[in-house]
Amino acid sequence: MTPFVGSAFGGNTNIIVLSPSVGDKKFTFGGSLSFLSDGLLGLEAEVAHTPHFFESSRGGLVLQSRVSTVSGSLIAAMPIAITGYSLRPYLVGGVGLLHASSHGLIDLNSFDSDLLALNLGGGAIGFITNKTGVRFELRNIRNLSPDDSTATTSGRSTRLSFWRASVGIVLRY
Amino acid sequence: MRHLRIRVTALSVAAFLFATAVAPAANAQSLTFGLFERYLDALRLELNIPGLSAAVVQNGKIVWDHGFGSRDVAASLAAAADTPYPVANLSETFGAALVLQQCIDRGDEIALNDRVVRWTTFPEPTTTIAQVLAHVNASNVYQYDTTRFGSMSGVVVECVDQPYPRIMATEVLDRLAMTDSVPGRDVVEAPGSQVFPAVTLDRYRGVLTRMAAPYRVDSKGAAIRSDYTQRSLTGSNGLISTVRDLAKFDTALADGILLSPESRAAMWAPGSSRPTGLGWFVQSYNGERLIWHFGLAKDAYSSLIVKVPGRQLTLILLANSDGLATSFTPTAGDVTQSIFARLFLTLFIS
């Protein structure tokens, strides 16, 4: 189990949000449950939450917003036989649900969207004790399905993506 | 002394009543316009529109107008309410007005159900003037085609026997004192310049000097100077105007200055199986009739006019990129899909 905190950054969307902040760094937190053997493959279920995703201190017309993700992923990690007790690098990728919402002064730029999302990334796990370790990770999250009810700058399908850098405490059972 | 005291008291009561009854209404309106202005500029920035001019007309008067961003980014020239833009196919609304005014209302032999080929060169032998004005084909199926509509200038010329830019200038622009409007960029060039006196050409040149520069927006959102190739005025394109001048046109149509009541009613009457009247789009929104039109010159300019006749309210927008028309498909005939129109309708109608 890995509770983590981090930063969502490099956001990009064509949804008409009316905020200059989509690419800004935002605090994010979450947790994951992983099954990772000493060999190559593992599985992971993860929940993450980024409050104020579309809000900005530099103006904009968003009063309340968030982005949350729930995903299931496959982990491909360097086997312990190779890494020994040093940092264990891994790649992770999966699909899940991305919920994005934003509410402004008027309904014009308000939306609640549930989107199918893809996440791809990588990181490294290192154990300090037999039961406790640290995880560093970078992930890119992007939607796969559109939400036709949201207005976009191009009039085309919804596009939302962002990066997430996180550090977590790994608790091994 | 007693009379003076009574008058002072009466004036005080009147001032109090004004302050409590009228001032809050004025404050509410200025708050609405303040919010509208903030949202409009935020939309402009998000859609990377370099320059935008806007006006709201109510009861025949401009109650708010504003310029946002730049009419020329490199020269740091701000867009204003009197900045001229090519209005692109918003020119169709003027073309329709001239057909109705110069051909139908004058009581000549011409009728809306005449075949177009009777009056001008046209590739479809059975299509009528009304069908072209309504953007329907010979089978009465809606099919937006600005090139077909352009041929309406030939019909007007046949009715008046003068060059089309001159008819536009004398019968609409000059008549309504639309002094910041130009009937096609090429009127200042030879040989078209022979159509207008020197003083008029000087005025047109002055307007064209102030015209907003065109921009295309690349995939990263950067505005890049582009080119606009439409030089001549046709029945569907080529007019250069400002939001303030378009407000005069809007008011003249509403007040019946340009058209007979019958022609105006026909122009704004919705079709049973199409989203158009004659030269305008017509639709319903929350029980209100909306009359609107757009202009789109890809990678250069865009425009939008939305009228709510039931409230005597009109929004006019002109931009120097195609951003007003890229977030929706205007030819589909539903202006409520435009985020700009939705902003206006949300704040002023809903």
Side-chain angles (χ1 to χ4, degrees):
Chain A
M1 186 171 73
T2 310
F4 62 82
V5 294
S7 175
F9 64 97
N12 192 349
T13 186
N14 66 351
I15 300 172
I16 295 178
V17 180
L18 302 186
S19 170
S21 71
V22 179
D24 292 358
K25 288 179 188 167
K26 295 284 161 55
F27 174 74
T28 187
F29 64 93
S32 66
L33 277 173
S34 310
F35 173 77
L36 186 57
S37 67
D38 290 347
L40 187 69
L41 296 176
L43 294 170
E44 180 211 63
E46 188 210 70
V47 178
H49 183 67
T50 309
H52 314 298
F53 188 87
F54 297 111
E55 293 152 57
S56 174
S57 57
R58 294 180 284 124
L61 294 158
V62 176
L63 297 179
Q64 196 176 32
S65 66
R66 69 185 171 98
V67 165
S68 304
T69 56
V70 180
S71 62
S73 301
L74 190 68
I75 301 171
M78 193 86 81
I80 286 214
I82 298 172
T83 61
Y85 292 100
S86 63
L87 279 175
R88 189 178 178 195
Y90 66 90
L91 294 173
V92 62
V95 292
L97 201 64
L98 186 159
H99 178 81
S101 69
S102 178
H103 297 278
L105 283 169
I106 57 175
D107 278 344
L108 190 77
N109 57 328
S110 298
F111 57 88
D112 270 287
S113 295
D114 290 311
L115 308 163
L116 190 65
L118 171 75
N119 72 83
L120 290 170
I125 300 169
F127 278 91
I128 300 160
T129 69
N130 195 34
K131 296 278 187 188
T132 312
V134 183
R135 187 189 84 174
F136 303 96
E137 189 186 84
L138 179 68
R139 246 183 239 224
N140 181 264
I141 296 132
R142 60 184 57 236
N143 72 300
L144 293 172
S145 66
D147 177 0
D148 294 334
S149 64
T150 57
T152 61
T153 54
S154 58
R156 299 194 191 106
S157 294
T158 319
R159 197 184 66 241
L160 172 64
S161 67
F162 61 94
W163 289 89
R164 191 185 69 206
S166 65
V167 56
I169 304 294
V170 183
L171 304 170
R172 184 156 61 183
Y173 294 96
Chain B
M1 189 68 185
R2 188 165 172 266
H3 285 296
L4 182 65
R5 200 174 299 151
I6 289 169
R7 280 176 69 179
V8 168
T9 307
L11 280 171
S12 302
V13 169
F16 174 76
L17 287 174
F18 178 83
T20 53
V22 179
N27 285 343
Q29 192 173 46
S30 68
L31 276 174
T32 305
F33 283 122
L35 194 59
F36 182 62
E37 206 168 296
R38 278 192 68 190
Y39 265 88
L40 206 53
D41 201 31
L43 280 174
R44 180 188 71 80
L45 290 167
E46 195 132 322
L47 291 160
N48 301 299
I49 296 172
L52 175 71
S53 299
V56 173
V57 183
Q58 190 164 33
N59 299 318
K61 288 190 177 122
I62 295 176
V63 289
W64 172 90
D65 63 16
H66 202 80
F68 303 88
S70 305
R71 71 174 163 90
D72 187 324
V73 175
S76 296
L77 297 171
D82 61 354
T83 297
Y85 299 76
V87 303
N89 42 317
L90 194 63
S91 307
E92 288 178 9
T93 59
F94 287 76
L98 280 177
V99 169
L100 294 168
Q101 179 196 64
Q102 295 299 314
C103 302
I104 308 301
D105 285 351
R106 278 166 44 138
D108 291 343
E109 291 178 11
I110 195 165
L112 283 171
N113 286 327
D114 281 358
R115 291 176 180 184
V116 181
V117 289
R118 186 182 164 198
W119 301 101
T120 190
T121 310
F122 197 66
E124 302 163 25
T126 60
T127 303
T128 65
I129 292 170
Q131 285 174 320
V132 174
L133 289 175
H135 284 288
V136 295
N137 61 23
S139 308
N140 259 339
V141 175
Y142 169 69
Q143 183 184 345
Y144 187 85
D145 186 340
T146 196
T147 307
R148 284 170 90 237
F149 200 104
S151 65
M152 287 296 97
S153 57
V155 175
V156 177
V157 167
E158 193 63 30
C159 293
V160 186
D161 200 21
Q162 283 185 24
Y164 187 66
R166 183 165 178 79
I167 303 167
M168 178 70 77
T170 53
E171 300 300 335
V172 179
L173 307 185
D174 294 350
R175 195 170 161 193
L176 303 179
M178 295 172 66
T179 51
D180 280 334
S181 300
V182 179
R185 284 194 299 168
D186 61 353
V187 294
V188 296
E189 300 162 1
S193 58
Q194 293 163 4
V195 173
F196 295 99
V199 66
T200 304
L201 290 173
D202 282 346
R203 176 164 57 83
Y204 287 162
R205 287 190 187 98
V207 172
L208 293 174
T209 306
R210 294 188 291 110
M211 191 174 88
Y215 291 90
R216 72 177 174 85
V217 178
D218 70 11
S219 57
K220 291 177 182 169
I224 296 159
R225 180 77 181 253
S226 62
D227 194 22
Y228 178 61
T229 53
Q230 180 73 36
R231 303 195 71 78
S232 302
L233 183 72
T234 71
S236 61
N237 212 333
L239 182 71
I240 290 113
S241 193
T242 67
V243 292
R244 285 181 180 165
D245 273 5
L246 291 174
K248 292 175 184 173
F249 177 64
D250 172 68
T251 301
L253 286 177
D255 291 350
I257 292 169
L258 289 178
L259 299 175
S260 68
E262 295 77 22
S263 284
R264 191 181 60 175
M267 188 167 72
W268 290 341
S272 56
S273 58
R274 54 182 160 86
T276 48
L278 302 178
W280 290 82
F281 288 88
V282 185
Q283 69 179 105
S284 289
Y285 169 78
N286 286 356
E288 294 279 354
R289 188 165 54 128
L290 302 183
I291 296 162
W292 63 278
H293 209 289
F294 73 99
L296 172 62
K298 189 158 172 51
D299 291 333
Y301 295 103
S302 52
S303 52
L304 183 68
I305 179 166
V306 182
K307 293 173 61 60
V308 190
R311 309 280 183 105
Q312 296 188 59
L313 196 62
T314 302
L315 168 70
I316 304 166
L317 300 173
L318 297 174
N320 60 350
S321 78
D322 57 17
L324 291 176
T326 50
S327 64
F328 80 120
T329 308
T331 52
D334 183 4
V335 78
T336 65
Q337 294 301 307
S338 157
I339 190 110
F340 290 93
R342 276 218 304 278
L343 169 63
F344 173 66
L345 296 171
T346 300
L347 287 178
F348 294 97
I349 304 299
S350 298

